[in-house]
Amino acid sequence: RPLWDSKILNGVVHSFTGDDAELDALLSMGLCIGLNGSAFRTEESAKRSILKIPVDRLMLETDAPWCDIRKDNFSFQFVKTNFPTVKKEKLKTDLLSKENTAPCVERRNEPCHLLNVLECYVGCNTLFSGAEVCRNINDLSNQVYVNTVKVFPLLA
């Protein structure tokens, strides 16, 4: 008997970009779904991510250094926070910015970009969903934290 038949799975599907059938199967197994910038590249994938994934099964990730949110992505319109960046070749000479913090490397996804994933989710949710669920960054980040602790209880 396959493990998922027992419905005892507790985990997260990393960087999900699958189709509706795959999503339904994973949700039926009790798994959480991890989304990053790739989930919001097109309007179609963004709409599916918002409308089909229950917020209590949602996790957000950057998948750093990959899966960055780019200017030609559908969701880029919702990015509000910009982080200082430098070309990789200049990183050593521009190690500290004026704010005394290291800049991000251009076209490399960094952990701080989780805020951008939050912004994209909230923006897409406001656009596509009629529900009043997680329409602001604080509500969404609190819910994702709760979900994370359910899967990884040692983080509490």
Side-chain angles (χ1 to χ4, degrees), residues 120-138:
C120 290
Y121 185 95
V122 168
C124 289
N125 188 52
T126 301
L127 181 65
F128 298 130
S129 176
E132 290 291 328
V133 177
C134 291
R135 290 201 176 192
N136 71 59
I137 296 289
N138 290 333

Side-chain angles (χ1 to χ4, degrees), residues 16-31:
F16 182 78
T17 56
D19 61 28
D20 288 352
E22 292 169 317
L23 179 60
D24 291 343
L26 294 167
L27 289 171
S28 74
M29 292 177 205
L31 296 168

Side-chain angles (χ1 to χ4, degrees), residues 65-153:
W66 319 114
C67 301
D68 57 327
I69 299 165
R70 299 186 181 176
K71 291 180 181 178
D72 63 345
N73 292 169
F74 171 77
S75 64
F76 184 78
Q77 63 187 307
F78 303 115
V79 172
K80 295 179 178 9
T81 308
N82 294 305
F83 297 95
T85 61
V86 297
K87 293 187 183 289
K88 189 174 182 180
E89 309 81 60
K90 290 188 72 183
L91 184 61
K92 290 180 182 167
T93 59
D94 289 349
L95 187 57
L96 295 179
S97 68
K98 292 176 188 168
E99 295 83 28
N100 229 12
T101 58
C104 297
V105 176
E106 185 178 67
R107 303 242 1 194
R108 182 172 76 189
N109 208 359
E110 306 274 1
C112 64
H113 292 125
L114 185 59
L115 178 56
N116 296 147
V117 178
L118 285 159
E119 292 168 341
C120 290
Y121 185 95
V122 168
C124 289
N125 188 52
T126 301
L127 181 65
F128 298 130
S129 176
E132 290 291 328
V133 177
C134 291
R135 290 201 176 192
N136 71 59
I137 296 289
N138 290 333
D139 288 349
L140 180 60
S141 60
N142 287 334
Q143 181 62 57
V144 170
Y145 175 77
V146 168
N147 300 345
T148 302
V149 170
K150 283 180 188 174
V151 175
F152 304 105

